[in-house]
């Protein structure tokens, strides 16, 4: 059974930083893409950033230059460094990991940015 466990969410003032982590445990092998998504109240879930197995990253326009995604394949872990946070970044953040045959989602972690 595969579990994704997130950490690092919380409350921060505008302009501040947070670092999210998401680690996979259980029988998960050969993870391809890893990514972060977010869902604000009343809005659809949206892509924040993804990172492929070769390290190439893709970002939503709204976070480019402020957020950095990275991964540690040995630890089955993906990170999201969030700098210069804005109130509009407030959302529940979810990590996702894709293998060849399955996709796995974490439960979500709340990020709240106060103005």
């Amino acid at each position: 059974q595969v579990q994704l466990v997130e950490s690092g969410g919380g409350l921060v003032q505008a302009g501040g930083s947070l670092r999210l982590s998401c680690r996979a445990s259980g029988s998960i092998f050969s993870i391809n893409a890893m990514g972060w998504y977010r869902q604000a109240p009343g809005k659809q879930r949206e892509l924040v950033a993804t990172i492929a197995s070769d390290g190439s990253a893709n970002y939503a326009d709204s976070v480019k230059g402020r957020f950095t995604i990275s991964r540690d394949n040995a630890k089955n872990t993906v990170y999201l460094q969030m700098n210069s946070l804005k109130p509009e970044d407030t959302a529940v953040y979810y990590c996702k990991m894709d293998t060849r045959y399955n996709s796995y989602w974490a439960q979500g972690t709340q990020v709240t940015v106060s103005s």
Side-chain angles (χ1 to χ4, degrees):
Q1 186 176 357
V2 175
Q3 266 194 319
L4 303 188
V5 179
E6 299 176 339
S7 61
L11 173 65
V12 65
Q13 287 189 332
S17 298
L18 284 175
R19 187 186 192 219
L20 304 183
S21 300
C22 177
R23 181 168 186 163
S25 62
S27 299
I28 185 168
F29 305 99
S30 299
I31 303 172
N32 296 327
M34 298 180 176
W36 290 94
Y37 295 73
R38 67 185 181 188
Q39 187 166 18
K43 295 187 176 181
Q44 289 189 331
R45 190 173 299 188
E46 63 176 4
L47 180 147
V48 176
T50 60
I51 184 166
S53 56
D54 64 0
S56 57
N58 178 55
Y59 296 93
D61 288 342
S62 59
V63 307
K64 279 181 182 175
R66 301 187 297 123
F67 291 10
T68 303
I69 189 170
S70 60
R71 64 190 283 169
D72 185 333
N73 293 326
K75 295 181 179 180
N76 286 341
T77 300
V78 61
Y79 306 95
L80 185 68
Q81 178 66 44
M82 306 185 291
N83 298 328
S84 302
L85 282 160
K86 304 175 181 180
E88 50 263 44
D89 294 318
T90 295
V92 178
Y93 283 70
Y94 300 88
C95 78
K96 177 175 176 274
M97 296 189 185
D98 298 324
T99 64
R100 183 174 180 181
Y101 299 109
N102 291 290
S103 293
Y104 302 94
W105 288 90
Q107 297 253 13
T109 186
Q110 178 70 45
V111 171
T112 303
V113 184
S114 63
S115 57

